[in-house]
Amino acid sequence: MKTFACMAAAATLLAFVAPASAQFAKPEDAVKYRQSALSVMGTHFGRLGAMANGKVPFDAKVAAENAELVAVMAKLPWAGFGPGTDKDPRSKAMSEVWTEQAKFKGASDKLIAESTKLAAASKTGNLDALKTSFAATAETCKACHDAFRNK
Amino acid sequence: MKTFACMAAAATLLAFVAPASAQFAKPEDAVKYRQSALSVMGTHFGRLGAMANGKVPFDAKVAAENAELVAVMAKLPWAGFGPGTDKDPRSKAMSEVWTEQAKFKGASDKLIAESTKLAAASKTGNLDALKTSFAATAETCKACHDAFRNK
């Protein structure tokens, strides 16, 4: 059982990290990619937040566009956290990203799931639905930043 | 007629630049956004190029995913070239981006159009269609870089 669990963990780990090493020529390319994807996502998420928090008027079409982009971008950064990408001085990623990979993958999967719901909620044109789903998605951002990102 | 042309140009200019100033709190946010979006786009475009040029085996599903991302990302950077975003030392953008805005918009519109075709071509699962459309899209990258980006 212990062997099986260990193999399963190794398989999960491999599935998670294999694309990164295959997809980026250099570790710094992976770091730049993940930071860029997170930055673009953050910009569009921020625009939703401005509407959810009443700082700008709610515009259903703009909200739907931004939420769709957040959902697309949410899937991208994780491939950039592969082996050898943990030593970049420009990165705020904690070592726990690599030492607790299953937990990190769980955190990124939560963002993907919540941002997908957020995109669906935004398409309803209902501000309350947007607010609820925005808050749930923001919670996944915060949880992951608290556990895996240096200040 | 001259007045009309001038007004039309002003309207075009306004439609082009208005979102930028409205969407970014600081010019450096806009610069970071446009660079991030272009970087993510470049990563996925590069993966298509590797297949189009035979450096990695053609995988229709992977090609379609990457082309779709290129088409999505291709629409984003331009809002980050608004007023006041022309002086950032980290930017390679030439002053022509702001002094020849109609030409710059034409160049970005060409990329959007070609990358949309590229996404459609990639969905056919036909490598030759991908190669043709990749080359046409790459040409729009090069033309815009030659005219608007410092080395």
Side-chain angles (χ1 to χ4, degrees):
Chain A
M1 186 59 198
K2 203 171 172 185
T3 309
F4 174 76
C6 191
M7 282 172 63
T12 303
L13 182 63
L14 202 64
F16 181 52
V17 301
S21 49
Q23 288 174 344
F24 299 99
K26 295 172 290 183
E28 54 264 42
D29 294 343
V31 174
K32 185 177 181 186
Y33 175 79
R34 74 197 191 204
Q35 291 182 333
S36 296
L38 288 162
S39 178
V40 171
M41 181 172 69
T43 297
H44 293 284
F45 193 63
R47 289 182 194 158
L48 287 169
M51 284 190 233
N53 298 321
K55 287 181 188 165
V56 304
F58 176 54
D59 181 320
K61 184 170 176 285
V62 173
E65 287 170 358
N66 279 289
E68 183 61 35
L69 284 168
V70 170
V72 169
M73 301 310 296
K75 295 173 188 157
L76 304 185
W78 324 114
F81 288 92
T85 68
D86 57 336
K87 304 286 185 221
D88 197 297
R90 294 165 307 175
S91 176
K92 291 182 183 168
M94 293 181 187
S95 59
E96 281 77 3
V97 168
W98 294 272
T99 59
E100 297 180 29
Q101 296 205 11
K103 187 181 166 192
F104 183 62
K105 178 159 185 357
S108 62
D109 283 349
K110 274 184 194 161
L111 168 68
I112 293 168
E114 291 300 337
S115 63
T116 301
K117 288 185 206 169
L118 176 61
S122 296
K123 278 179 192 142
T124 65
N126 181 312
L127 179 57
D128 285 333
L130 170 66
K131 284 181 180 177
T132 302
S133 200
F134 176 83
T137 309
E139 187 51 47
T140 70
C141 302
K142 184 182 184 306
C144 194
H145 289 174
D146 287 350
F148 295 108
R149 188 176 75 157
N150 287 306
K151 303 287 178 203
Chain B
M1 185 62 200
K2 203 171 171 186
T3 308
F4 174 77
C6 191
M7 281 171 65
T12 304
L13 182 63
L14 202 66
F16 182 52
V17 302
S21 50
Q23 288 175 343
F24 299 99
K26 294 172 290 182
E28 53 264 43
D29 294 344
V31 173
K32 186 177 181 187
Y33 176 80
R34 73 196 191 204
Q35 289 183 334
S36 295
L38 287 162
S39 178
V40 171
M41 181 173 70
T43 297
H44 293 285
F45 192 64
R47 289 182 195 158
L48 287 170
M51 285 190 233
N53 297 322
K55 288 181 186 164
V56 306
F58 176 55
D59 181 320
K61 184 170 176 285
V62 173
E65 286 169 359
N66 280 290
E68 184 61 33
L69 283 168
V70 170
V72 169
M73 302 308 297
K75 295 173 188 157
L76 304 185
W78 323 114
F81 288 93
T85 68
D86 56 337
K87 305 285 185 221
D88 197 296
R90 295 165 306 174
S91 176
K92 290 183 186 168
M94 292 181 188
S95 59
E96 281 76 4
V97 168
W98 293 273
T99 57
E100 297 180 26
Q101 296 204 12
K103 188 181 166 191
F104 184 61
K105 178 158 186 354
S108 62
D109 283 348
K110 274 184 196 162
L111 168 68
I112 293 169
E114 290 301 338
S115 63
T116 301
K117 288 185 208 169
L118 176 62
S122 296
K123 279 178 192 143
T124 66
N126 180 312
L127 179 56
D128 285 333
L130 170 66
K131 284 181 180 177
T132 302
S133 199
F134 176 82
T137 310
E139 188 50 47
T140 71
C141 301
K142 184 182 183 307
C144 194
H145 289 174
D146 286 350
F148 295 107
R149 189 176 74 159
N150 287 307
K151 302 287 176 200

PDB file of all heavy atoms in Angstrom, chain A residues 23-24 32-33 35-37 39-40 43-44 47 69 72-73 76, chain B residues 23-24 32-33 35-37 39-40 43-44 47 69 72-73 76:
ATOM      1  N   GLN A  23       8.450  22.111 -22.289  1.00  0.00           N
ATOM      2  CA  GLN A  23       7.911  23.251 -23.021  1.00  0.00           C
ATOM      3  C   GLN A  23       8.788  24.491 -23.010  1.00  0.00           C
ATOM      4  O   GLN A  23       8.578  25.385 -23.821  1.00  0.00           O
ATOM      5  CB  GLN A  23       6.529  23.602 -22.469  1.00  0.00           C
ATOM      6  CG  GLN A  23       5.473  22.576 -22.863  1.00  0.00           C
ATOM      7  CD  GLN A  23       4.138  22.849 -22.208  1.00  0.00           C
ATOM      8  OE1 GLN A  23       4.057  23.601 -21.252  1.00  0.00           O
ATOM      9  NE2 GLN A  23       3.099  22.239 -22.723  1.00  0.00           N
ATOM     10  N   PHE A  24       9.737  24.558 -22.112  1.00  0.00           N
ATOM     11  CA  PHE A  24      10.563  25.757 -22.008  1.00  0.00           C
ATOM     12  C   PHE A  24      12.027  25.409 -22.218  1.00  0.00           C
ATOM     13  O   PHE A  24      12.543  24.460 -21.620  1.00  0.00           O
ATOM     14  CB  PHE A  24      10.370  26.415 -20.645  1.00  0.00           C
ATOM     15  CG  PHE A  24       8.946  26.854 -20.408  1.00  0.00           C
ATOM     16  CD1 PHE A  24       8.077  26.082 -19.660  1.00  0.00           C
ATOM     17  CD2 PHE A  24       8.468  28.030 -20.969  1.00  0.00           C
ATOM     18  CE1 PHE A  24       6.770  26.465 -19.464  1.00  0.00           C
ATOM     19  CE2 PHE A  24       7.151  28.424 -20.782  1.00  0.00           C
ATOM     20  CZ  PHE A  24       6.295  27.635 -20.024  1.00  0.00           C
ATOM     21  N   LYS A  32       9.480  33.567 -16.633  1.00  0.00           N
ATOM     22  CA  LYS A  32       8.884  34.720 -17.324  1.00  0.00           C
ATOM     23  C   LYS A  32       7.456  34.391 -17.777  1.00  0.00           C
ATOM     24  O   LYS A  32       6.545  35.215 -17.670  1.00  0.00           O
ATOM     25  CB  LYS A  32       9.743  35.113 -18.529  1.00  0.00           C
ATOM     26  CG  LYS A  32       9.263  36.369 -19.212  1.00  0.00           C
ATOM     27  CD  LYS A  32      10.165  36.785 -20.365  1.00  0.00           C
ATOM     28  CE  LYS A  32       9.650  38.067 -21.007  1.00  0.00           C
ATOM     29  NZ  LYS A  32      10.407  38.430 -22.211  1.00  0.00           N
ATOM     30  N   TYR A  33       7.283  33.191 -18.276  1.00  0.00           N
ATOM     31  CA  TYR A  33       5.958  32.766 -18.753  1.00  0.00           C
ATOM     32  C   TYR A  33       4.941  32.755 -17.605  1.00  0.00           C
ATOM     33  O   TYR A  33       3.853  33.314 -17.725  1.00  0.00           O
ATOM     34  CB  TYR A  33       6.053  31.385 -19.388  1.00  0.00           C
ATOM     35  CG  TYR A  33       4.707  30.829 -19.808  1.00  0.00           C
ATOM     36  CD1 TYR A  33       4.103  31.252 -20.980  1.00  0.00           C
ATOM     37  CD2 TYR A  33       4.042  29.900 -19.012  1.00  0.00           C
ATOM     38  CE1 TYR A  33       2.863  30.756 -21.372  1.00  0.00           C
ATOM     39  CE2 TYR A  33       2.801  29.405 -19.393  1.00  0.00           C
ATOM     40  CZ  TYR A  33       2.227  29.828 -20.568  1.00  0.00           C
ATOM     41  OH  TYR A  33       0.997  29.338 -20.941  1.00  0.00           O
ATOM     42  N   GLN A  35       5.047  34.241 -14.732  1.00  0.00           N
ATOM     43  CA  GLN A  35       4.803  35.580 -14.188  1.00  0.00           C
ATOM     44  C   GLN A  35       3.934  36.410 -15.142  1.00  0.00           C
ATOM     45  O   GLN A  35       3.062  37.160 -14.701  1.00  0.00           O
ATOM     46  CB  GLN A  35       6.132  36.300 -13.923  1.00  0.00           C
ATOM     47  CG  GLN A  35       6.905  35.678 -12.755  1.00  0.00           C
ATOM     48  CD  GLN A  35       8.197  36.408 -12.434  1.00  0.00           C
ATOM     49  OE1 GLN A  35       8.792  37.036 -13.302  1.00  0.00           O
ATOM     50  NE2 GLN A  35       8.645  36.304 -11.191  1.00  0.00           N
ATOM     51  N   SER A  36       4.187  36.253 -16.428  1.00  0.00           N
ATOM     52  CA  SER A  36       3.400  36.993 -17.424  1.00  0.00           C
ATOM     53  C   SER A  36       1.948  36.549 -17.400  1.00  0.00           C
ATOM     54  O   SER A  36       1.027  37.377 -17.426  1.00  0.00           O
ATOM     55  CB  SER A  36       3.991  36.785 -18.823  1.00  0.00           C
ATOM     56  OG  SER A  36       5.287  37.337 -18.897  1.00  0.00           O
ATOM     57  N   ALA A  37       1.741  35.237 -17.354  1.00  0.00           N
ATOM     58  CA  ALA A  37       0.369  34.716 -17.347  1.00  0.00           C
ATOM     59  C   ALA A  37      -0.369  35.160 -16.088  1.00  0.00           C
ATOM     60  O   ALA A  37      -1.533  35.573 -16.141  1.00  0.00           O
ATOM     61  CB  ALA A  37       0.377  33.193 -17.468  1.00  0.00           C
ATOM     62  N   SER A  39       0.289  37.805 -14.334  1.00  0.00           N
ATOM     63  CA  SER A  39       0.098  39.251 -14.404  1.00  0.00           C
ATOM     64  C   SER A  39      -1.117  39.616 -15.266  1.00  0.00           C
ATOM     65  O   SER A  39      -1.938  40.454 -14.882  1.00  0.00           O
ATOM     66  CB  SER A  39       1.373  39.894 -14.965  1.00  0.00           C
ATOM     67  OG  SER A  39       1.210  41.283 -15.098  1.00  0.00           O
ATOM     68  N   VAL A  40      -1.216  38.983 -16.428  1.00  0.00           N
ATOM     69  CA  VAL A  40      -2.367  39.247 -17.303  1.00  0.00           C
ATOM     70  C   VAL A  40      -3.657  38.837 -16.584  1.00  0.00           C
ATOM     71  O   VAL A  40      -4.649  39.568 -16.591  1.00  0.00           O
ATOM     72  CB  VAL A  40      -2.218  38.510 -18.649  1.00  0.00           C
ATOM     73  CG1 VAL A  40      -3.502  38.608 -19.472  1.00  0.00           C
ATOM     74  CG2 VAL A  40      -1.046  39.086 -19.444  1.00  0.00           C
ATOM     75  N   THR A  43      -4.596  41.421 -13.974  1.00  0.00           N
ATOM     76  CA  THR A  43      -5.185  42.641 -14.537  1.00  0.00           C
ATOM     77  C   THR A  43      -6.679  42.450 -14.779  1.00  0.00           C
ATOM     78  O   THR A  43      -7.496  43.287 -14.379  1.00  0.00           O
ATOM     79  CB  THR A  43      -4.492  43.005 -15.865  1.00  0.00           C
ATOM     80  OG1 THR A  43      -3.120  43.296 -15.600  1.00  0.00           O
ATOM     81  CG2 THR A  43      -5.142  44.221 -16.510  1.00  0.00           C
ATOM     82  N   HIS A  44      -7.027  41.349 -15.401  1.00  0.00           N
ATOM     83  CA  HIS A  44      -8.442  41.139 -15.728  1.00  0.00           C
ATOM     84  C   HIS A  44      -9.263  40.797 -14.479  1.00  0.00           C
ATOM     85  O   HIS A  44     -10.424  41.185 -14.372  1.00  0.00           O
ATOM     86  CB  HIS A  44      -8.571  40.082 -16.824  1.00  0.00           C
ATOM     87  CG  HIS A  44      -8.011  40.574 -18.122  1.00  0.00           C
ATOM     88  ND1 HIS A  44      -8.683  41.469 -18.914  1.00  0.00           N
ATOM     89  CD2 HIS A  44      -6.803  40.355 -18.723  1.00  0.00           C
ATOM     90  CE1 HIS A  44      -7.923  41.772 -19.967  1.00  0.00           C
ATOM     91  NE2 HIS A  44      -6.789  41.113 -19.874  1.00  0.00           N
ATOM     92  N   ARG A  47     -10.144  43.982 -12.756  1.00  0.00           N
ATOM     93  CA  ARG A  47     -11.274  44.723 -13.358  1.00  0.00           C
ATOM     94  C   ARG A  47     -12.611  44.169 -12.883  1.00  0.00           C
ATOM     95  O   ARG A  47     -13.574  44.903 -12.685  1.00  0.00           O
ATOM     96  CB  ARG A  47     -11.166  44.674 -14.879  1.00  0.00           C
ATOM     97  CG  ARG A  47     -10.011  45.534 -15.332  1.00  0.00           C
ATOM     98  CD  ARG A  47      -9.865  45.589 -16.840  1.00  0.00           C
ATOM     99  NE  ARG A  47      -8.553  46.144 -17.139  1.00  0.00           N
ATOM    100  CZ  ARG A  47      -7.909  45.975 -18.278  1.00  0.00           C
ATOM    101  NH1 ARG A  47      -8.472  45.285 -19.237  1.00  0.00           N
ATOM    102  NH2 ARG A  47      -6.719  46.507 -18.450  1.00  0.00           N
ATOM    103  N   LEU A  69     -11.415  35.750 -19.787  1.00  0.00           N
ATOM    104  CA  LEU A  69      -9.953  35.830 -19.857  1.00  0.00           C
ATOM    105  C   LEU A  69      -9.309  35.281 -18.585  1.00  0.00           C
ATOM    106  O   LEU A  69      -8.289  34.586 -18.647  1.00  0.00           O
ATOM    107  CB  LEU A  69      -9.503  37.272 -20.104  1.00  0.00           C
ATOM    108  CG  LEU A  69      -9.681  37.754 -21.553  1.00  0.00           C
ATOM    109  CD1 LEU A  69      -9.494  39.259 -21.651  1.00  0.00           C
ATOM    110  CD2 LEU A  69      -8.688  37.028 -22.475  1.00  0.00           C
ATOM    111  N   VAL A  72      -9.343  31.557 -18.812  1.00  0.00           N
ATOM    112  CA  VAL A  72      -8.340  31.062 -19.770  1.00  0.00           C
ATOM    113  C   VAL A  72      -6.947  31.149 -19.156  1.00  0.00           C
ATOM    114  O   VAL A  72      -6.168  30.187 -19.182  1.00  0.00           O
ATOM    115  CB  VAL A  72      -8.399  31.863 -21.096  1.00  0.00           C
ATOM    116  CG1 VAL A  72      -7.204  31.541 -21.992  1.00  0.00           C
ATOM    117  CG2 VAL A  72      -9.704  31.573 -21.839  1.00  0.00           C
ATOM    118  N   MET A  73      -6.635  32.313 -18.582  1.00  0.00           N
ATOM    119  CA  MET A  73      -5.292  32.536 -18.044  1.00  0.00           C
ATOM    120  C   MET A  73      -5.018  31.645 -16.831  1.00  0.00           C
ATOM    121  O   MET A  73      -3.872  31.261 -16.577  1.00  0.00           O
ATOM    122  CB  MET A  73      -5.097  34.003 -17.635  1.00  0.00           C
ATOM    123  CG  MET A  73      -5.277  35.042 -18.733  1.00  0.00           C
ATOM    124  SD  MET A  73      -4.356  34.733 -20.256  1.00  0.00           S
ATOM    125  CE  MET A  73      -2.676  34.841 -19.662  1.00  0.00           C
ATOM    126  N   LEU A  76      -2.869  28.536 -17.268  1.00  0.00           N
ATOM    127  CA  LEU A  76      -1.554  28.593 -17.896  1.00  0.00           C
ATOM    128  C   LEU A  76      -0.321  28.581 -16.986  1.00  0.00           C
ATOM    129  O   LEU A  76       0.659  27.907 -17.311  1.00  0.00           O
ATOM    130  CB  LEU A  76      -1.477  29.828 -18.808  1.00  0.00           C
ATOM    131  CG  LEU A  76      -2.561  29.949 -19.891  1.00  0.00           C
ATOM    132  CD1 LEU A  76      -2.270  31.153 -20.782  1.00  0.00           C
ATOM    133  CD2 LEU A  76      -2.658  28.690 -20.734  1.00  0.00           C
TER     134      LEU A  76
ATOM    135  N   GLN B  23      -8.220  51.813 -18.242  1.00  0.00           N
ATOM    136  CA  GLN B  23      -8.063  50.478 -17.684  1.00  0.00           C
ATOM    137  C   GLN B  23      -6.841  50.293 -16.791  1.00  0.00           C
ATOM    138  O   GLN B  23      -6.772  49.306 -16.057  1.00  0.00           O
ATOM    139  CB  GLN B  23      -8.013  49.455 -18.835  1.00  0.00           C
ATOM    140  CG  GLN B  23      -9.376  49.277 -19.494  1.00  0.00           C
ATOM    141  CD  GLN B  23      -9.300  48.376 -20.702  1.00  0.00           C
ATOM    142  OE1 GLN B  23      -8.228  48.123 -21.237  1.00  0.00           O
ATOM    143  NE2 GLN B  23     -10.428  47.884 -21.141  1.00  0.00           N
ATOM    144  N   PHE B  24      -5.883  51.187 -16.869  1.00  0.00           N
ATOM    145  CA  PHE B  24      -4.663  51.011 -16.079  1.00  0.00           C
ATOM    146  C   PHE B  24      -4.469  52.205 -15.147  1.00  0.00           C
ATOM    147  O   PHE B  24      -4.567  53.353 -15.570  1.00  0.00           O
ATOM    148  CB  PHE B  24      -3.454  50.856 -17.003  1.00  0.00           C
ATOM    149  CG  PHE B  24      -3.562  49.666 -17.903  1.00  0.00           C
ATOM    150  CD1 PHE B  24      -3.984  49.792 -19.219  1.00  0.00           C
ATOM    151  CD2 PHE B  24      -3.273  48.391 -17.423  1.00  0.00           C
ATOM    152  CE1 PHE B  24      -4.108  48.678 -20.043  1.00  0.00           C
ATOM    153  CE2 PHE B  24      -3.392  47.275 -18.242  1.00  0.00           C
ATOM    154  CZ  PHE B  24      -3.811  47.421 -19.549  1.00  0.00           C
ATOM    155  N   LYS B  32       3.586  46.799 -18.340  1.00  0.00           N
ATOM    156  CA  LYS B  32       3.738  45.427 -17.853  1.00  0.00           C
ATOM    157  C   LYS B  32       2.677  44.513 -18.484  1.00  0.00           C
ATOM    158  O   LYS B  32       2.964  43.377 -18.860  1.00  0.00           O
ATOM    159  CB  LYS B  32       3.614  45.402 -16.327  1.00  0.00           C
ATOM    160  CG  LYS B  32       3.901  44.032 -15.734  1.00  0.00           C
ATOM    161  CD  LYS B  32       3.847  44.053 -14.216  1.00  0.00           C
ATOM    162  CE  LYS B  32       4.160  42.672 -13.660  1.00  0.00           C
ATOM    163  NZ  LYS B  32       3.970  42.595 -12.217  1.00  0.00           N
ATOM    164  N   TYR B  33       1.481  45.030 -18.574  1.00  0.00           N
ATOM    165  CA  TYR B  33       0.389  44.236 -19.150  1.00  0.00           C
ATOM    166  C   TYR B  33       0.668  43.883 -20.609  1.00  0.00           C
ATOM    167  O   TYR B  33       0.574  42.720 -21.012  1.00  0.00           O
ATOM    168  CB  TYR B  33      -0.927  45.010 -19.044  1.00  0.00           C
ATOM    169  CG  TYR B  33      -2.077  44.307 -19.711  1.00  0.00           C
ATOM    170  CD1 TYR B  33      -2.742  43.257 -19.086  1.00  0.00           C
ATOM    171  CD2 TYR B  33      -2.501  44.682 -20.989  1.00  0.00           C
ATOM    172  CE1 TYR B  33      -3.789  42.603 -19.705  1.00  0.00           C
ATOM    173  CE2 TYR B  33      -3.560  44.028 -21.609  1.00  0.00           C
ATOM    174  CZ  TYR B  33      -4.192  42.991 -20.964  1.00  0.00           C
ATOM    175  OH  TYR B  33      -5.229  42.335 -21.578  1.00  0.00           O
ATOM    176  N   GLN B  35       3.475  43.870 -22.229  1.00  0.00           N
ATOM    177  CA  GLN B  35       4.646  42.990 -22.370  1.00  0.00           C
ATOM    178  C   GLN B  35       4.313  41.565 -21.937  1.00  0.00           C
ATOM    179  O   GLN B  35       4.762  40.599 -22.558  1.00  0.00           O
ATOM    180  CB  GLN B  35       5.815  43.537 -21.543  1.00  0.00           C
ATOM    181  CG  GLN B  35       6.403  44.824 -22.139  1.00  0.00           C
ATOM    182  CD  GLN B  35       7.605  45.349 -21.372  1.00  0.00           C
ATOM    183  OE1 GLN B  35       7.749  45.091 -20.179  1.00  0.00           O
ATOM    184  NE2 GLN B  35       8.443  46.109 -22.053  1.00  0.00           N
ATOM    185  N   SER B  36       3.525  41.438 -20.889  1.00  0.00           N
ATOM    186  CA  SER B  36       3.135  40.108 -20.406  1.00  0.00           C
ATOM    187  C   SER B  36       2.269  39.392 -21.434  1.00  0.00           C
ATOM    188  O   SER B  36       2.475  38.200 -21.720  1.00  0.00           O
ATOM    189  CB  SER B  36       2.380  40.231 -19.082  1.00  0.00           C
ATOM    190  OG  SER B  36       3.219  40.745 -18.079  1.00  0.00           O
ATOM    191  N   ALA B  37       1.308  40.110 -21.986  1.00  0.00           N
ATOM    192  CA  ALA B  37       0.416  39.489 -22.974  1.00  0.00           C
ATOM    193  C   ALA B  37       1.201  39.069 -24.215  1.00  0.00           C
ATOM    194  O   ALA B  37       1.008  37.968 -24.749  1.00  0.00           O
ATOM    195  CB  ALA B  37      -0.706  40.455 -23.340  1.00  0.00           C
ATOM    196  N   SER B  39       4.350  38.342 -24.309  1.00  0.00           N
ATOM    197  CA  SER B  39       5.242  37.246 -23.937  1.00  0.00           C
ATOM    198  C   SER B  39       4.500  35.906 -23.921  1.00  0.00           C
ATOM    199  O   SER B  39       4.990  34.905 -24.446  1.00  0.00           O
ATOM    200  CB  SER B  39       5.854  37.542 -22.565  1.00  0.00           C
ATOM    201  OG  SER B  39       6.675  36.487 -22.153  1.00  0.00           O
ATOM    202  N   VAL B  40       3.326  35.894 -23.318  1.00  0.00           N
ATOM    203  CA  VAL B  40       2.534  34.649 -23.290  1.00  0.00           C
ATOM    204  C   VAL B  40       2.176  34.243 -24.721  1.00  0.00           C
ATOM    205  O   VAL B  40       2.296  33.077 -25.098  1.00  0.00           O
ATOM    206  CB  VAL B  40       1.262  34.826 -22.430  1.00  0.00           C
ATOM    207  CG1 VAL B  40       0.338  33.623 -22.572  1.00  0.00           C
ATOM    208  CG2 VAL B  40       1.644  35.013 -20.961  1.00  0.00           C
ATOM    209  N   THR B  43       5.188  32.701 -26.444  1.00  0.00           N
ATOM    210  CA  THR B  43       5.475  31.329 -26.007  1.00  0.00           C
ATOM    211  C   THR B  43       4.615  30.334 -26.788  1.00  0.00           C
ATOM    212  O   THR B  43       5.126  29.334 -27.313  1.00  0.00           O
ATOM    213  CB  THR B  43       5.194  31.168 -24.496  1.00  0.00           C
ATOM    214  OG1 THR B  43       6.081  32.022 -23.781  1.00  0.00           O
ATOM    215  CG2 THR B  43       5.412  29.726 -24.047  1.00  0.00           C
ATOM    216  N   HIS B  44       3.335  30.615 -26.864  1.00  0.00           N
ATOM    217  CA  HIS B  44       2.444  29.667 -27.552  1.00  0.00           C
ATOM    218  C   HIS B  44       2.642  29.706 -29.061  1.00  0.00           C
ATOM    219  O   HIS B  44       2.533  28.674 -29.735  1.00  0.00           O
ATOM    220  CB  HIS B  44       0.996  29.939 -27.142  1.00  0.00           C
ATOM    221  CG  HIS B  44       0.771  29.615 -25.694  1.00  0.00           C
ATOM    222  ND1 HIS B  44       0.671  28.321 -25.255  1.00  0.00           N
ATOM    223  CD2 HIS B  44       0.708  30.400 -24.594  1.00  0.00           C
ATOM    224  CE1 HIS B  44       0.529  28.330 -23.932  1.00  0.00           C
ATOM    225  NE2 HIS B  44       0.552  29.573 -23.505  1.00  0.00           N
ATOM    226  N   ARG B  47       5.560  27.539 -29.904  1.00  0.00           N
ATOM    227  CA  ARG B  47       5.266  26.091 -29.928  1.00  0.00           C
ATOM    228  C   ARG B  47       4.644  25.674 -31.246  1.00  0.00           C
ATOM    229  O   ARG B  47       4.904  24.576 -31.747  1.00  0.00           O
ATOM    230  CB  ARG B  47       4.347  25.735 -28.759  1.00  0.00           C
ATOM    231  CG  ARG B  47       5.123  25.836 -27.451  1.00  0.00           C
ATOM    232  CD  ARG B  47       4.313  25.448 -26.250  1.00  0.00           C
ATOM    233  NE  ARG B  47       5.030  25.912 -25.071  1.00  0.00           N
ATOM    234  CZ  ARG B  47       4.487  26.138 -23.891  1.00  0.00           C
ATOM    235  NH1 ARG B  47       3.184  25.918 -23.721  1.00  0.00           N
ATOM    236  NH2 ARG B  47       5.207  26.543 -22.888  1.00  0.00           N
ATOM    237  N   LEU B  69      -4.909  29.879 -27.977  1.00  0.00           N
ATOM    238  CA  LEU B  69      -4.335  30.828 -27.020  1.00  0.00           C
ATOM    239  C   LEU B  69      -3.698  32.023 -27.735  1.00  0.00           C
ATOM    240  O   LEU B  69      -3.812  33.162 -27.272  1.00  0.00           O
ATOM    241  CB  LEU B  69      -3.304  30.121 -26.131  1.00  0.00           C
ATOM    242  CG  LEU B  69      -3.909  29.247 -25.032  1.00  0.00           C
ATOM    243  CD1 LEU B  69      -2.849  28.372 -24.393  1.00  0.00           C
ATOM    244  CD2 LEU B  69      -4.586  30.116 -23.962  1.00  0.00           C
ATOM    245  N   VAL B  72      -6.432  34.332 -28.719  1.00  0.00           N
ATOM    246  CA  VAL B  72      -6.972  35.064 -27.556  1.00  0.00           C
ATOM    247  C   VAL B  72      -5.996  36.167 -27.139  1.00  0.00           C
ATOM    248  O   VAL B  72      -6.380  37.328 -26.947  1.00  0.00           O
ATOM    249  CB  VAL B  72      -7.224  34.107 -26.362  1.00  0.00           C
ATOM    250  CG1 VAL B  72      -7.527  34.886 -25.084  1.00  0.00           C
ATOM    251  CG2 VAL B  72      -8.383  33.159 -26.688  1.00  0.00           C
ATOM    252  N   MET B  73      -4.716  35.804 -27.014  1.00  0.00           N
ATOM    253  CA  MET B  73      -3.723  36.767 -26.539  1.00  0.00           C
ATOM    254  C   MET B  73      -3.506  37.907 -27.534  1.00  0.00           C
ATOM    255  O   MET B  73      -3.167  39.024 -27.135  1.00  0.00           O
ATOM    256  CB  MET B  73      -2.378  36.074 -26.270  1.00  0.00           C
ATOM    257  CG  MET B  73      -2.400  34.940 -25.263  1.00  0.00           C
ATOM    258  SD  MET B  73      -3.166  35.324 -23.677  1.00  0.00           S
ATOM    259  CE  MET B  73      -2.080  36.591 -23.058  1.00  0.00           C
ATOM    260  N   LEU B  76      -5.086  41.293 -26.862  1.00  0.00           N
ATOM    261  CA  LEU B  76      -4.917  41.988 -25.582  1.00  0.00           C
ATOM    262  C   LEU B  76      -3.891  43.125 -25.521  1.00  0.00           C
ATOM    263  O   LEU B  76      -4.169  44.142 -24.881  1.00  0.00           O
ATOM    264  CB  LEU B  76      -4.568  40.954 -24.493  1.00  0.00           C
ATOM    265  CG  LEU B  76      -5.553  39.789 -24.314  1.00  0.00           C
ATOM    266  CD1 LEU B  76      -5.129  38.939 -23.111  1.00  0.00           C
ATOM    267  CD2 LEU B  76      -6.976  40.282 -24.127  1.00  0.00           C
TER     268      LEU B  76
END
